[in-house]
Amino acid sequence: MARPVVGIICNRYLINDEYPVHAGGTMNSDAIAGVAECVPMIVPSNPDYVSINDLLEACDGFLLTGGRPNVHPEEYGEEATAAHGDFDRARDAIALPLIRACVDRGQPFLGICRGFQEVNVALGGSLHPEIRDLPGRMNHRMPPDGTLQEKFENRHTVSFTEGGVFHRLMGAQEVVTNTLHGQGIKQAAPRVVVDGVAPDGTPEAIFIKDAPGFTLSVQWHPEYQAAEDPVSRPLFAAFGRAAQAWSQGRRLTPAQVA
């Protein structure tokens, strides 16, 4: 049986400050191929190259990856400031309508970091430009120095709603995760259910209420050592089951794969 195809929504970069590329970290491909047991396919996130309909037909599910550029605040009715950082309007133009289409169709996606934020914005929510500037919040950004392992090491707990989707999926109400983000949910969209929070109250795990398919998203980076990590592995495995079901003409909600 052919493996399902997962489109990896990637980011625009410059190699050597001059050669433009669309790229996704190999951690993402490792997690999709090795844990979700799907075929990873890099998506050039630009409407000049692909349409939403093209992607919906070509892929069985989507991984909404993290990335340095942030969702432009115009997408949630605010003006850009220096605190909002860099943007990628071409990715906004692909990811946001793609999320809405997937929610409507029940086509599975998994959101990570920026992807988590995109899900909230796509459905009508807003973002804080800088979590660490808020009273009582911790610094959720990755350490500026150190090895890759030190940057991705676990740094805080996430507490899930008792009996909720993430609690059932993980088999634990509290887990420990990494944290590498500056922005975060300010106002949750009307259908966004916050199912997990950091100790300072920052939303960390969400899903879409009454969606007909798999819509889990997390603010941390589960792609790091996904095959070995006890929190990452069940998340990617569940997403893989949802993508497999879609490829066979079925839809699975998070409750059905938890």
Side-chain angles (χ1 to χ4, degrees):
M1 182 182 297
R3 291 186 296 165
V5 175
V6 168
I8 297 178
I9 305 302
C10 61
N11 296 289
R12 177 173 49 85
Y13 296 100
L14 285 177
I15 296 178
N16 297 329
D17 296 322
E18 62 180 356
Y19 185 74
V21 299
H22 281 110
T26 56
M27 294 180 195
N28 295 305
S29 296
D30 286 343
I32 292 300
V35 183
E37 298 183 349
C38 298
V39 175
M41 184 176 75
I42 298 296
V43 172
S45 304
N46 187 320
D48 290 341
Y49 307 138
V50 295
S51 72
I52 301 304
N53 287 336
D54 290 336
L55 296 176
L56 294 171
E57 292 301 317
C59 301
D60 299 300
F62 298 94
L63 183 67
L64 306 164
T65 64
R68 186 174 298 277
N70 295 310
V71 180
H72 200 287
E74 286 182 357
E75 299 292 349
Y76 46 93
E78 297 183 13
E79 293 186 3
T81 68
H84 287 94
D86 298 326
F87 308 115
D88 184 347
R89 296 300 268 145
R91 173 164 169 165
D92 293 346
I94 287 292
L96 301 181
L98 178 64
I99 290 164
R100 290 187 285 265
C102 285
V103 170
D104 290 343
R105 289 160 57 94
Q107 196 158 348
F109 62 78
L110 173 60
I112 292 175
C113 200
R114 174 190 160 118
F116 168 97
Q117 296 164 11
E118 286 173 332
V119 171
N120 186 55
V121 172
L123 296 182
S126 61
L127 303 174
H128 288 294
E130 189 62 72
I131 290 291
R132 63 183 174 181
D133 291 341
L134 300 174
R137 299 292 185 95
M138 61 185 287
N139 183 1
H140 287 255
R141 287 189 174 274
M142 72 176 182
D145 302 309
T147 65
L148 194 66
Q149 180 178 352
E150 290 169 337
K151 291 178 179 179
F152 278 86
E153 69 182 1
N154 290 338
R155 290 174 52 207
H156 68 63
T157 59
V158 173
S159 299
F160 301 129
T161 303
E162 184 175 2
V165 171
F166 279 89
H167 181 189
R168 297 197 304 275
L169 179 63
M170 300 295 176
Q173 194 174 353
E174 185 176 276
V175 299
V176 183
T177 72
N178 56 33
T179 182
L180 297 92
H181 64 102
Q183 298 197 326
I185 289 180
K186 179 179 181 180
Q187 180 66 47
R191 294 181 63 189
V192 165
V193 178
V194 177
D195 203 38
V197 296
D200 63 357
T202 298
E204 294 278 343
I206 62 174
F207 64 90
I208 309 305
K209 182 180 180 180
D210 298 328
F214 187 98
T215 60
L216 298 189
S217 298
V218 297
Q219 184 62 87
W220 68 90
H221 281 262
E223 73 273 22
Y224 180 68
Q225 296 183 339
E228 295 81 32
D229 186 79
V231 177
S232 301
R233 189 170 186 86
L235 183 60
F236 277 100
F239 175 57
R241 292 194 295 273
Q244 182 69 59
W246 181 268
S247 73
Q248 297 170 350
R250 299 180 292 116
R251 298 186 295 192
L252 289 180
T253 65
Q256 291 171 318
V257 297

